[in-house]
Amino acid sequence: MEMSVEQEGPVSRMTVVGELTIYAAAECKSQILDAVERGESVEVVAEGITELDTAGVQLLLLAKRMAVKAGKSFRVVSPSAVVEDVLRTLALSHTLESV
């Protein structure tokens, strides 16, 4: 799994490529929460995610909760087919505002 974070004005944009699973969740938790702290708005570009399990979903939900608590927006953008399927199956598409 590879993750990069870019700051574009008030937006922290994270691009995730590869597997966002239990094996990578602990590794990228600090990066995601760091991005939430830095930006007024956080976007996770998910078009490169090839596998997503419940640990990855929990990480996204944690980041969303932290952003909302801080008065910031958080959304998943450009989801891959894998991400769309998982979010739809878990009825979380609207919660994570996938676009």
Side-chain angles (χ1 to χ4, degrees), residues 3-76:
M3 179 182 294
S4 63
V5 180
E6 296 176 0
Q7 194 69 33
E8 293 182 14
V11 178
S12 287
R13 184 167 292 120
M14 277 184 321
T15 302
V16 182
V17 177
E19 300 176 356
L20 186 54
T21 64
I22 192 168
Y23 304 107
E27 174 185 324
C28 66
K29 179 180 178 182
S30 64
Q31 290 177 298
I32 288 178
L33 296 181
D34 211 29
V36 170
E37 286 183 24
R38 283 189 276 167
E40 294 174 27
S41 171
V42 180
E43 295 181 349
V44 176
V45 181
E47 63 193 2
I49 295 177
T50 57
E51 188 175 343
L52 179 65
D53 68 5
T54 55
V57 170
Q58 287 176 337
L59 184 57
L60 294 174
L61 290 171
L62 172 64
K64 165 85 177 201
R65 186 176 66 222
M66 298 301 289
V68 168
K69 186 176 180 179
K72 303 174 182 187
S73 67
F74 180 93
R75 64 189 188 133
V76 175

